[in-house]
Every structure is written in C-alpha cells, then in structure tokens.
Amino acid sequence: MEELHINVFNIVGNSLCVEADDGEKVFIQVSAALKSGKIVVLSFQNVEMLTSAFLNTAIGQLYRDFSESEIKESLTVIQLEGADRILLKRVVDTAKLFYKDPARLEKSINEIMGD
Amino acid sequence: MLKTVMLDNIHSDFDGYQKLINLNEEAKSLWVDSLDVKIKQWFDANLAAALGGILDGIEKDLNTVRIDHINDSVKKILQKNGFLAHFGYPSVLDTNNTTIKYLKLKPTDTRFFHQYVLNELFNRSELPSISNDLKKKMAESIYEIFVNAQIHSNSDFIYTCGQYFPKRASLVLTISDTGVGFKNTVSKRFNRAIPADKAILWAISAGNTTKTDISGGIGLAILKEFIIQNKGEMQIISNDGYYNLDENGEKTGNFAAEYPGTIVTMKFNTNDSSCYGIIDGNLSGDLF
C-alpha cells in the first residue's frame, strides 16, 4: 500500500495544536487517506503544544469510523515524544472505550447520582 | 439609583467565592443604575478573573460600575495586574514581577492566549527553578481549561488572572467564563436535573464527556491528576456548585446562589522536581 505523509504543523498552520477545530482539519485528511487505502504517517514535527481536545478530534474520532485493527495497520505517528505521546495514548484508550460502550456514560451519571 | 456593595476579605476559598456570588446576587437585577464596589481588607489577585466576569455582566445591563475605597496594598496589586485599568484607574508598573496580568479575551483568541501564557508564565526570568517538564505540564493543564471553556461555555469572554508567590514557591491562576456552566450542560446531555456539585464531580472523572459523537472528557482529569502529583490545589466553581482538591483530598459543596458561569482556580507548586514526560516501556511502540 502507498504511504502518505501528513504534517500536522502544516495543516494547523502553527506549533500550537490545542483547538478542537484544528484537530478536525487533521481528522478530515487522515480519514480521507485511510478510506482511500493509504498507509498514513502522521508527523508531529515542530508541534510544541497539544491538548486532549485537539487529539480527540484529530485521532480519537477515527475509532468511530474505522476498526482498531484498521487503524493499527494503517496509521503511524512520528515525532511525538514524552508527555505528548502519553496524552495521545490516553486519548486513544478513551476513544476505544467511548465507541465500544456508548451506554457507559449513562451508567456513570447514574452512579454519580446514586441511582 | 446608586447601589453600594462591599467585598470584605476575599480569598480563593468557599467563603471568598460565596462573597463574590453574593455581590452578583445583590447587583444582578440592576438596570441602567450605578454600582459602587468597595474592596476592604484582602482580595486575592487571581480572583480578578471571577470579579471581572461578574462586573461585565452588570455593565452589560447598562449599569455604571465604579470600584472605590480599595485597601491600598490590594489597589496596588490590582493596578499592577491591569484589572483596575478596566475600571478607570491608571496602570502601575510591576517592579517585583510577581503579578500575572488580568486578561479578558474572546474564546476564539487562542493565539493571543498563547502569547499570554508565554509572557506571563514561562518566559519570566523570575521562574528559573521550574523544570521544562513542569512548565510543559502546567501549560498543558492551563490550555485544557482554556479549551474546555472555549468548547463548552458558550461565553462571550474568557477571563484569566494570576499571581506568583516566589517565597511560597507557588503560582496561582484563575480562568473563568460567564457561560452556561457544568450543571446546565450535563443536565441537558442526560435530559435530567443534575445538581451543580454532582455535575462537576462527573465532569472531572476521566472519559466523561457531554459530547455524543466525539470521545473526550480527559482535560479536567489530567488537571486533577497533575494537581495531586504536583501537591498543588484546584477549585472549580460552576453555577452553585463548589469543588476543591488539595492535600486533604476532595471536597464539594453548594453555594447559596449561582456564579454566572464557571471559575477554575489552579495553584501549582513550582518547587516540584517530578518527571512528567517519562514513557514506560509498553507505550514506546504500540499506540493504537
């Protein structure tokens, strides 16, 4: 399969990847590439700041449209280290749970309310 | 009509927030009137972010707001951080470099906020002892709160202000909005009435999000975990709900009335040598 490099810094336009709307721009590109059967190499080179809100939209929502194995086989992340990599792992784990068990949130609110 | 209200000894604690809420209650029905605010004894500088939101709401109803009779030392700090410049006072240069400026910005002004974080928090020579790891974690927490307000609050403005205490090795920052608040957002999502304190507790649990199509709900959990590891403190005030986390654990409560939005106060311990960017073995390869 053909490999496609996607540069997060270039899509967002600066090193600050914090807004959910900017994450959406990355998602649109990655999603389209995966749908067309490409292997995606997502580069975070020159990105200085990330939030979970950005990563939720950029990568988390891929788990709504693609299976875990599709993502594992077709998406690679490069130039992402330390606390940022830890954050992405957390976003991914949260997304898997969110799409696997949509009723979990209803249960969680019942628990908080003591129902 | 001229109404006078007194803010007497305001700290970043339940009583202090209750007094700010009381001010809002006393003044919220004013319309084309005048409000005089007197500040007696102490006022925590970071809470200018909360007071600014309240006073803007009162001015929006065509009232004239005047702040007078301020304790001298408080006045100096609130002039140095720029808050009183919004209410007719001249700015004063901060020669001690311990204030963190009062900033009122539109939720879309992310780049402006970024510049603020760099200038006010991280590019200051007075903070030499903070490791890059710690700076990064603090910045991450601050951005998560800012973006949370941006996404969920539906507020016209986001307010922020802080104070650095070199001798106590702590940095306090408050971010507030005058939006819908946790209670309303969570209640709407689940189509049932959720009390404000429960809504806050729900929202800070990892993975709990009001969004229905995109996963999330990590930002506040990240802040909470960092505050615990950093031995800092945090408070969330949203509508009539109160949440406090410090070395004694979590505490919740309810105010007698509502703050018109949400306040998040973060107190970071700047004397923290923990390593926050270390990846354990199983994370180095398989992310997905």
Side-chain angles (χ1 to χ4, degrees), chain B residues 110-136:
Chain B
T110 308
R111 287 194 194 195
F112 197 37
F113 183 71
H114 179 56
Q115 208 50 51
Y116 173 83
V117 172
L118 289 179
N119 293 345
E120 297 295 322
L121 302 175
F122 300 124
N123 291 347
R124 330 173 42 130
S125 53
E126 317 83 72
L127 295 174
S129 60
I130 300 185
S131 70
N132 284 337
D133 254 12
L134 181 57
K135 281 184 185 176
K136 174 112 179 148

Side-chain angles (χ1 to χ4, degrees), chain B residues 48-251:
Chain B
L51 181 59
I54 290 174
L55 297 182
D56 272 5
I58 294 163
E59 282 191 334
K60 211 174 171 180
D61 288 337
L62 304 180
N63 299 298
T64 303
V65 175
R66 212 174 60 177
I67 302 178
D68 61 3
H69 294 95
I70 315 171
N71 169 308
D72 276 349
S73 57
V74 171
K75 182 176 165 185
K76 202 178 280 179
I77 293 170
L78 294 182
Q79 280 186 289
K80 284 179 180 177
N81 71 19
F83 176 69
L84 287 177
H86 292 252
F87 298 94
Y89 287 79
S91 294
V92 169
L93 188 68
D94 179 12
T95 47
N96 297 329
N97 288 320
T98 54
T99 60
I100 295 171
K101 292 265 181 279
Y102 171 76
L103 178 70
K104 168 185 170 182
L105 74 173
K106 289 179 192 159
T108 49
D109 283 342
T110 308
R111 287 194 194 195
F112 197 37
F113 183 71
H114 179 56
Q115 208 50 51
Y116 173 83
V117 172
L118 289 179
N119 293 345
E120 297 295 322
L121 302 175
F122 300 124
N123 291 347
R124 330 173 42 130
S125 53
E126 317 83 72
L127 295 174
S129 60
I130 300 185
S131 70
N132 284 337
D133 254 12
L134 181 57
K135 281 184 185 176
K136 174 112 179 148
K137 275 304 288 185
M138 283 165 61
E140 185 184 74
S141 299
I142 291 164
Y143 279 112
E144 291 286 356
I145 299 308
F146 177 79
V147 172
N148 244 8
Q150 189 180 56
I151 296 172
H152 297 289
S153 75
N154 204 19
S155 179
D156 290 338
F157 291 99
I158 295 172
Y159 303 83
T160 178
C161 194
Q163 185 73 24
Y164 173 49
F165 301 95
K167 285 179 189 161
R168 286 186 240 163
S170 84
L171 189 152
V172 185
L173 188 76
T174 293
I175 297 177
S176 77
D177 66 64
T178 51
V180 290
F182 287 31
K183 180 172 79 173
N184 297 317
T185 311
V186 178
S187 295
K188 191 176 171 193
R189 161 67 179 83
F190 293 103
N191 201 24
R192 63 186 285 192
I194 310 290
D197 58 332
K198 303 271 189 201
I200 298 170
L201 273 180
W202 181 83
I204 56 171
S205 298
N208 287 350
T209 176
T210 52
K211 286 178 283 182
T212 51
D213 58 338
I214 300 177
S215 56
I218 306 172
L220 286 170
I222 285 173
L223 173 63
K224 179 182 164 181
E225 289 158 13
F226 172 51
I227 290 290
I228 291 170
Q229 194 173 347
N230 174 253
K231 296 184 173 60
E233 292 174 28
M234 69 182 270
Q235 291 148 351
I236 301 174
I237 292 80
S238 189
N239 310 109
D240 55 334
Y242 175 74
Y243 171 86
N244 183 80
L245 172 69
D246 58 26
E247 57 188 354
N248 299 314
E250 292 176 292
K251 213 184 328 178

Side-chain angles (χ1 to χ4, degrees), chain A residues 12-16 18-20 24 48-53 56-57 59-61 63-64 68 71-72 75-77 80-96 98-99 102 104-106 108-110 112-113 115, chain B residues 107-111 114 135-137 139-140 143-144 147 150-151 186 189-190 192-195 198-199 201-202 205-219 221-222 225 276-280 282-288:
Chain A
V12 174
N14 65 76
S15 61
L16 192 65
V18 299
E19 290 189 43
E24 185 71 24
E48 287 175 11
M49 183 54 62
L50 279 168
T51 64
S52 62
N56 286 329
T57 48
I59 295 176
Q61 61 175 327
Y63 287 86
R64 181 191 56 215
E68 203 176 313
I71 294 171
K72 206 173 271 196
L75 181 62
T76 308
V77 161
L80 186 74
E81 301 303 330
D84 292 335
R85 201 171 177 90
I86 295 170
L87 181 62
L88 176 57
K89 178 67 180 162
R90 185 129 191 213
V91 163
V92 164
D93 290 345
T94 303
K96 286 179 189 173
F98 180 83
Y99 295 112
R104 191 193 70 81
L105 290 177
E106 292 285 348
S108 71
I109 201 75
N110 291 340
I112 287 275
M113 293 296 287
D115 295 350
Chain B
T108 49
D109 283 342
T110 308
R111 287 194 194 195
H114 179 56
K135 281 184 185 176
K136 174 112 179 148
K137 275 304 288 185
E140 185 184 74
Y143 279 112
E144 291 286 356
V147 172
Q150 189 180 56
I151 296 172
V186 178
R189 161 67 179 83
F190 293 103
R192 63 186 285 192
I194 310 290
K198 303 271 189 201
L201 273 180
W202 181 83
S205 298
N208 287 350
T209 176
T210 52
K211 286 178 283 182
T212 51
D213 58 338
I214 300 177
S215 56
I218 306 172
I222 285 173
E225 289 158 13
Y276 290 99
I278 303 293
I279 294 180
D280 60 25
N282 59 15
L283 185 54
S284 58
D286 188 10
L287 270 173
F288 302 118

